[in-house]
Structure formats: structure tokens, C-alpha cells
Amino acid sequence: MIVELALALPLLVVLLLTIVDLGLVVREHQLLQNSAREGAHFSALPMNQLGPLNPNATENDIKQRVIEYCALENIVVMPENITVDQQHPIVVGGLTVVASEVTVAYSRQLLFAGAPFLSFGDVTLSGTAVFRNFY
């Protein structure tokens, strides 16, 4: 029985560590989706419309909103990894309208890069959200 445990235990530990790492990746992907959704909603508000009609609104304010959301969950996202497009066309009921699209990209190392099931070292995650503009 001890010999069987000694043979099976390393495989079970590697499997457990791989599952934990994969669970963390899925969690962080969901957080990126949520942060992109928060940024797109913030960008779609009339007070954040970029352009000469609203000189107080800046793209950095929208990016900062996404960065702060990610920081609450200890995810560090750089401003250059966030894209904001307030002229993204979407079709609603056969009519094309303008929306705000925010995309967030994040790269992280796996905790257990040597696990055989996840043999790559870095994972790049991204989240994208689109909100119809309120202006």
C-alpha cells in the first residue's frame, strides 16, 4: 500500500497544482472581463465622451477606471494594455449605432510552469466589452 501511494502521490500532486493554476487563470480572465465591462460602461456615459465638445474627458480617465478595478483584485494592468474605442459600430434592431469598446490585455506567469498539462510559462488573457453610448 505504501509503494502504491509513493507511485501515485506525485501524479496526484501535479494534477492538483495544475487544477489550482488553471482555476486562477479562469478567475483572472473573469476579472478582466468585468474590468473591461466597467471601463466600457464608464466610457459610454455622456460626461466621458472624448472630443472637442467635452474637453474635460480624457482617455486616461477611462483607462484609470479599468486599472483601479483590476487593482482591487491585485492585478496590475498597464495603460498601454488597454484600448478604448468610442466609435465602435454595433447593430441594434437593424440600425447601426455607435458604442464604446474597451479591451484589456494582461500577461501572467503560471504558478507551476513545470506542470506537464500546462507546459507553457506565460498566459496572455484579455477581456473585451461593448456598451452603447448614451450620447
Side-chain angles (χ1 to χ4, degrees):
M1 180 159 158
I2 292 178
V3 174
E4 294 166 348
L5 180 63
L7 291 174
L9 190 61
L11 178 63
L12 293 175
V13 168
V14 168
L15 184 63
L16 176 68
L17 294 178
T18 303
I19 290 170
V20 167
D21 213 8
L22 190 59
L24 290 172
V25 167
V26 169
R27 175 189 173 273
E28 289 180 359
H29 179 264
Q30 184 62 40
L31 289 169
L32 288 177
Q33 284 291 114
N34 290 343
S35 68
R37 191 174 302 117
E38 177 72 19
H41 180 257
F42 187 71
S43 176
L45 297 175
M47 65 185 180
N48 298 315
Q49 181 181 13
L50 303 176
L53 297 177
N54 192 2
N56 294 332
T58 65
E59 189 173 324
N60 288 335
D61 292 340
I62 298 166
K63 290 181 178 184
Q64 189 61 35
R65 183 74 166 228
V66 174
I67 290 169
E68 289 171 359
Y69 188 94
C70 289
L72 292 173
E73 296 294 332
N74 297 322
I75 296 176
V76 178
V77 177
M78 297 295 150
E80 57 269 9
N81 294 336
I82 302 169
T83 58
V84 177
D85 178 14
Q86 288 189 334
Q87 301 301 317
H88 183 75
I90 60 172
V91 178
V92 177
L95 181 67
T96 301
V97 296
V98 179
S100 290
E101 178 186 47
V102 174
T103 302
V104 184
Y106 170 69
S107 183
R108 74 181 291 274
Q109 279 191 319
L110 293 174
L111 296 176
F112 311 106
F117 304 116
L118 301 173
S119 60
F120 40 90
D122 286 347
V123 175
T124 301
L125 305 171
S126 67
T128 303
V130 178
F131 261 75
R132 181 178 178 177
N133 291 335
F134 297 117
Y135 41 86

